[in-house]
Each structure stands twice: as structure tokens, then as C-alpha cells.
Amino acid sequence: MKISPEGDLGALGQGMDDGSFLRSVERLRDGVDRRLEQLVPDADQAPLELGAAVRYALLAPGKRFRPMLTLLLARDLGAREGLAVDSACAFEMVHAASLILDDLPSMDDAGLRRGRATTHKAFGEANAILAAVGLLNRAFGVIAEDQGLSLDQRIAISSALSDAVGFRGLTAGQSRDLDRRGRTLSNDEIDLVNHQKTGVLLVAAAQAGAIIAEADSGACDAVGEFARRIGLAFQIRDDLIDVEGGETAGKDLGKDAGMPTLVTSLGVEGARAVMEGYLEAAEASLRTAGAGQGVWRYVQGLFSGRKAAA
Amino acid sequence: MKISPEGDLGALGQGMDDGSFLRSVERLRDGVDRRLEQLVPDADQAPLELGAAVRYALLAPGKRFRPMLTLLLARDLGAREGLAVDSACAFEMVHAASLILDDLPSMDDAGLRRGRATTHKAFGEANAILAAVGLLNRAFGVIAEDQGLSLDQRIAISSALSDAVGFRGLTAGQSRDLDRRGRTLSNDEIDLVNHQKTGVLLVAAAQAGAIIAEADSGACDAVGEFARRIGLAFQIRDDLIDVEGGETAGKDLGKDAGMPTLVTSLGVEGARAVMEGYLEAAEASLRTAGAGQGVWRYVQGLFSGRKAAA
């Protein structure tokens, strides 16, 4: 998990010291936060409680990991500055929607998320469900209306997003996740659930960056493979945090107790080794894509920090 | 609410006797049903319970009113046969999703819909919510991947759909609907709720037909206005059925008792007069669009029949 300066990775971050790099990442994230504010309904557009629930769920402080994948990969692959912001925001909307749904009483029945009351605890279940549906829907609207992108690009991103959320993606993953409780799954089955619950949206977010940079289809595939591997690594990381706890986890700990994960089947050290393997493979995919000094440096930063990232 | 044979309405249906016309409508609807079957996941693609919930909700017998609006308007305005089928199906998917959500325990808490158990009663709440989210998502995917349409058309329909579901559309209408219980609303406020809950999706479905037929923007607007008025008329019709009952209503009757409607504020006869006014205005919009012998004949048939239509 080292950056090789002699590699063929993209230029971003190369020659930047850590402070400058972190500030450039911070600027991108601030840009996402500002744009998210603009893209969600004002109080006068949506019913009061629904609008408040949407803003509560979407504008909560967060890493903006999916937007950062889109933005950094677009930049690493040569897209014009700012071109990827709306697509990046669309992926954050879908992520926020998926968190609202995951926490519902009929799903994980969680009371805390990122250290705050979950959306249904704060605004009631009906408004939480409508906020999630509204956010998913808005994501497609934002992509369709993105005048900076060609029609081709908008259709390609929209299609990738729909695949990611669909019946082989997030909705399938969540359904499988609910179904697996108390059952013994093989490691392959665990990987499938993890990939569908987390990975597919990361893949689409990463590929959106490549689409916006007009990368060829080989690079687009490789970037997706990079994201898939990062997603699997992050899931293991989350499971490790769930077992080991930590002051920064910020959500109900032990919620997943009894649910099979790679940590329960391989133990902490075994799971950590698998995670490292995914990270190395992810870096290799990035090299294949001919991209990624910036995004790789960013991902390394997340894994070396203490916080849960996904 | 009469068809004037000397008007400038489109050609479909003109010269067709009632039997031929009904058979042509039936053929269109059968085409929608067959295509819906193809567009939803097979058992091997989605998790078993989720796939079953999706199919249960989407493939239940129904009028396919929104698809018929898209198909008949596309045909009345001169689109090539078959070109509008996938878009038509996308609107049915969104409609099915909205019904699943409306019926949830945290919303209307309904046990029956179209004479069958509601989706959450049959498959559990989590799978019902995921089915609804999956159907909305799939609608956008179907539109994005519709190779028969130009990129422009796909983006325009996708954008119209997103507006219809968004924070001034379905999600807003549902939130307002939940919020109004037991309160006294003005007739204008009731119209807003009805429009957002039902009308906006009809508007988008109708406009999709016009977009597919490459109608000019004036015709597109007029077709939308036609659908908006039809939507308001249908809502009053549904409220009348809810008050008067009837063996064909097929859902929990009296569920809306205590909720303000035009029927409660104007009485049965007053509400019926308003409904007739909307229908006349709808026909006028259709004339402005230069479209609609077929769609108007179809709508007339729905209003003269006994069944709830929306």
C-alpha cells in the first residue's frame, strides 16, 4: 500500500506536500457541500418536515467519500475542474438515501448514525422514507439536468447509477443483508452482500469520474475494478471497527452482532490480511487505468486514519 | 364531455367502431403487460423475496392508466408504433412504487389494494420498501437504456419523471397528504395535494408521449395541462367512490374518513360538478395540442365505467 513515485499514476498530488494535498482535498469537499446545499429543496419548495428531513440526512457532516471518488478520478484522468461536481453530489444523494433506509425500524432499526439521531428518529418514519425516495429521485434529476456534460455522458452515468441501485445492486444487497441474519454464509456469499451493499455504488461513482474525463472503456472498467476492491476493503474495515469499537465509530455498535462477516469467519488478523490484499489489488487496477496519484493518496489517507470511512 | 367529430382532434379512433377501438386499447395494454414482465428482474437476478415483491406489486392486474396516456398520446401525435412502450412501462413502475409506499404502516397503513393484500402485508415491510425503491430506480434505468429514443428524448423524459416524483411532486404530495389529516384545508390546498399526489405523474406520462412523438413545446405544454386536469377529475372521482363505496373499489373503504376532500367541503353534487368542469377543460387542452381522438375516447370510457381508475 505504498505509492511508487516512478509508477505511471496520474499527476495530481505528485510534487505536492501532504499539507497542500490535504488542502486541495478539503477544497473539493467544501465544493461538494456547497453544491449539495443548492441542489436540495428550500423550505418553500418542499413541505416543511420533508424538506427538513432531506437536509438533515444529506447535509450531515461526512467524508463525502463517493463524491470524492468521482471528483478525484475525473481530475486524475484529465477532466476540466468543476465538471464533475453535480454528478459527485448525485452519488452522495443516493448514499444518504441508502443510509436512511438501512436505519429504518424494518431494516437495521438503528437509533444513531454519525453520532446523531437517525432520520426516522428525528422526523418520523414516513418522512424518512419519503426523504430517501426523494433523494434517489433527485440524483437522477441532477444528472439529467447537468448542462456541463454531453447527453451521452449523462445517459451513461444515469445508467450506471441505476445498475448500482438496482436488483443486482444496493436494493439486492440490502435484501440479502436482512436475509442472512443468523445464517452461516460462505466467504463468497459475504463478499457478494458486501459488494452489493457498498461496492456497486462506489464502482458507479468512480466510473462516473472516468466517463466525465472521457476515458476509454478499458480505463473505465479498470477504475470500476479499483472501486470494487476498495469497497470490499472498506467493508472489512467497518466490520473490524464494529468488533473493536472506537470512539469515532459514531453509530450503534454491536448492531451487527450475530451477523456473519469475514471477521467472524476469519478472525481479526485473517480479515485484516484479506483487506490488505484488496488494497494492493485496487492499486494495481488504478495503474491499469493509467490514473490515480490523487485518488490513491486520498484512499491511503482514509485507511491510515481512525475513522470509519464508508 | 362529448367528442365533436368536426373538431381538430387526431385521427386515432375516428372511424373506428367502439368494439374495434376497445380491442386496439386492449392490444396496447397487453403489450405493456408483456413488456413489464421482461423489464423486471427474474428470480435468478434479484434476491428471491425482493424479486417476488417487485413482481407482485408491478404485475398485479390494473388499468395501466399512465402507460396508456403515454402510448395513446404518442400515437395520436404521430409517433411510430411501439416506440413509447418502454417509457410507458417506466411510468407504471413509478406508479406501482408510489402505491407500495402509500400503503405502508407509517403512511396509510392499508391492508388491501386492488382486492389483494398490500405488498408489505404479503412480503414484509423491508422488502416492500426495497421493492418501491427498486422500481423507481428501474424506471430511470429503462428510460436511459431505451435505444429507440434519441439521447435528447431520454434526457427530457428522465428529467420530467424526476420533477414528477420530486419535492414538488409525488413525495411532496404524500408528505402533505399525511400532514393534512384532521385539519381543515382550503379547496386550493386540496387541489395542490391532489395534483402532487396524482396529477404530476400523469402530466409527465402524457408529456413523455408528446416528447416521443416529437411534438413542439406548445403541444407538450397543452398535453401536460390536459393530464393535470384529468388527474384532478380522477381524484374527485376516487373521493366520490370512497364516500359512495362500490363493489369494484377493491381497497379499504373509509380509510380516508376524516380527511378533507372536495367531497367533504362541497358535497357529492358540488364535487361532481367540479369534476365535470375539469373534464371539459381537459378536452379543451387536448384541442390546443392538436391531439387526442384516441386518448379522449379512452378517458371517456374510464369515466363512464364503474371502476376506480387511478
Side-chain angles (χ1 to χ4, degrees):
Chain A
M1 176 167 158
K2 291 231 169 56
I3 295 174
S4 318
E6 68 280 9
D8 59 353
L9 299 174
L12 180 86
Q14 222 154 10
M16 262 191 203
D17 63 38
D18 282 353
S20 310
F21 179 72
L22 285 176
R23 280 190 298 277
S24 84
V25 165
E26 210 57 51
R27 270 197 305 278
L28 287 178
R29 184 162 52 214
D30 288 348
V32 168
D33 283 341
R34 279 195 304 277
R35 188 63 181 145
L36 285 173
E37 282 264 9
Q38 294 167 350
L39 291 173
V40 292
D42 292 335
D44 61 338
Q45 293 183 325
L48 216 58
E49 280 293 287
L50 176 59
V54 167
R55 299 176 71 84
Y56 180 85
L58 182 65
L59 305 178
K63 280 207 166 40
R64 312 300 180 218
F65 180 52
R66 288 143 198 84
M68 292 308 291
L69 277 186
T70 305
L71 290 174
L72 289 170
L73 279 161
R75 200 159 88 167
D76 286 358
L77 288 161
R80 180 164 58 75
E81 181 86 29
L83 203 59
V85 175
D86 280 13
S87 292
C89 288
F91 284 97
E92 185 67 15
M93 289 177 187
V94 175
H95 176 57
S98 78
L99 297 184
I100 295 172
L101 296 175
D102 280 7
D103 290 337
L104 288 174
S106 62
M107 313 256 182
D108 287 354
D109 193 17
L112 275 179
R113 160 79 63 183
R114 291 174 178 168
R116 309 186 313 161
T118 49
T119 306
H120 67 274
K121 286 284 181 193
F123 295 91
E125 201 174 335
N127 275 314
I129 293 170
L130 293 172
V133 168
L135 280 166
L136 172 65
N137 174 72
R138 183 80 181 111
F140 284 104
V142 165
I143 293 166
E145 290 152 22
D146 189 344
Q147 307 287 335
L149 302 182
S150 72
L151 295 168
D152 268 306
Q153 288 173 317
R154 287 183 247 174
I155 288 294
I157 295 169
S158 191
S159 185
L161 177 60
S162 179
D163 284 348
V165 177
F167 301 118
R168 301 186 201 193
L170 285 181
T171 50
Q174 180 66 9
S175 177
R176 283 187 216 285
D177 193 23
L178 295 169
D179 194 44
R180 71 172 164 167
R181 309 202 169 183
R183 292 200 299 120
T184 303
L185 300 189
S186 70
N187 288 347
D188 280 354
E189 289 172 312
I190 294 171
D191 267 5
L192 176 64
V193 171
N194 290 347
H195 175 59
Q196 290 189 331
K197 275 206 72 168
T198 312
V200 288
L201 192 61
L202 301 180
V203 169
Q207 288 185 327
I211 290 165
I212 291 166
E214 301 180 52
D216 63 35
S217 72
C220 210
D221 290 347
V223 154
E225 190 56 19
F226 157 75
R228 188 182 74 82
R229 289 164 168 170
I230 291 293
L232 290 168
F234 263 123
Q235 186 61 52
I236 298 173
R237 188 181 156 74
D238 274 2
D239 292 337
L240 286 167
I241 289 172
D242 205 61
V243 169
E244 297 174 338
E247 58 188 334
T248 54
K251 60 176 185 175
D252 296 349
L253 288 175
K255 268 281 169 203
D256 299 334
M259 292 172 59
T261 68
L262 282 183
V263 180
T264 54
S265 84
L266 299 179
V268 167
E269 283 316 305
R272 199 183 300 280
V274 174
M275 181 183 86
E276 293 290 342
Y278 281 135
L279 284 172
E280 278 178 33
E283 190 186 8
S285 296
L286 219 45
R287 288 178 184 283
T288 304
Q293 182 85 350
V295 75
W296 185 243
R297 203 164 167 178
Y298 169 73
V299 165
Q300 278 192 303
L302 293 181
F303 273 88
S304 64
R306 294 260 323 138
K307 290 183 190 167
Chain B
M1 178 169 157
K2 291 232 169 57
I3 295 174
S4 317
E6 67 281 9
D8 58 354
L9 298 175
L12 181 87
Q14 222 152 12
M16 263 191 202
D17 63 37
D18 283 353
S20 310
F21 179 73
L22 286 176
R23 280 191 297 278
S24 84
V25 165
E26 211 56 53
R27 269 198 305 278
L28 287 178
R29 186 163 50 214
D30 287 349
V32 168
D33 282 340
R34 279 195 305 277
R35 189 63 181 144
L36 285 173
E37 280 265 8
Q38 295 167 349
L39 290 173
V40 293
D42 293 334
D44 62 338
Q45 293 182 326
L48 217 58
E49 281 293 286
L50 175 60
V54 167
R55 299 176 71 84
Y56 180 85
L58 182 65
L59 304 178
K63 282 207 164 41
R64 314 298 181 219
F65 179 51
R66 287 144 199 83
M68 292 307 292
L69 277 185
T70 305
L71 289 174
L72 289 170
L73 279 162
R75 199 159 90 166
D76 286 357
L77 288 163
R80 179 163 61 74
E81 181 87 28
L83 204 58
V85 175
D86 280 13
S87 293
C89 288
F91 284 97
E92 185 67 14
M93 289 177 187
V94 175
H95 176 57
S98 78
L99 297 183
I100 296 172
L101 296 176
D102 280 7
D103 290 337
L104 288 174
S106 61
M107 312 254 184
D108 287 355
D109 193 17
L112 277 179
R113 158 81 63 184
R114 291 174 177 169
R116 309 186 311 161
T118 49
T119 307
H120 68 272
K121 287 282 182 195
F123 295 91
E125 201 175 336
N127 275 313
I129 294 169
L130 293 172
V133 168
L135 281 166
L136 172 64
N137 174 71
R138 183 80 180 112
F140 284 103
V142 166
I143 294 167
E145 288 152 23
D146 188 346
Q147 307 286 335
L149 303 181
S150 70
L151 295 169
D152 268 306
Q153 288 173 316
R154 289 183 245 172
I155 288 293
I157 296 169
S158 191
S159 185
L161 177 60
S162 179
D163 284 349
V165 178
F167 301 118
R168 301 186 200 193
L170 284 181
T171 50
Q174 180 66 9
S175 177
R176 283 188 215 283
D177 192 24
L178 295 169
D179 193 45
R180 72 173 164 167
R181 308 203 170 183
R183 291 201 299 120
T184 303
L185 299 189
S186 69
N187 289 347
D188 280 355
E189 287 171 313
I190 294 172
D191 267 5
L192 175 64
V193 171
N194 290 348
H195 176 58
Q196 291 189 331
K197 274 206 75 168
T198 311
V200 287
L201 192 61
L202 301 181
V203 169
Q207 289 185 327
I211 290 165
I212 291 166
E214 302 181 52
D216 63 35
S217 72
C220 210
D221 289 348
V223 155
E225 189 56 17
F226 157 75
R228 188 182 73 82
R229 288 164 167 168
I230 291 294
L232 290 167
F234 263 123
Q235 187 60 51
I236 297 172
R237 189 181 156 74
D238 274 1
D239 292 336
L240 286 166
I241 289 172
D242 205 62
V243 169
E244 298 174 338
E247 58 188 333
T248 54
K251 60 177 184 174
D252 298 349
L253 289 175
K255 267 281 168 202
D256 299 334
M259 293 173 58
T261 70
L262 282 182
V263 181
T264 54
S265 83
L266 299 179
V268 167
E269 284 316 305
R272 199 184 300 280
V274 173
M275 182 182 85
E276 292 291 342
Y278 280 135
L279 285 172
E280 278 178 33
E283 190 187 7
S285 297
L286 218 45
R287 289 179 183 283
T288 303
Q293 182 85 351
V295 75
W296 185 243
R297 203 164 168 179
Y298 169 73
V299 165
Q300 277 192 304
L302 294 181
F303 272 88
S304 65
R306 295 261 321 138
K307 289 182 192 170

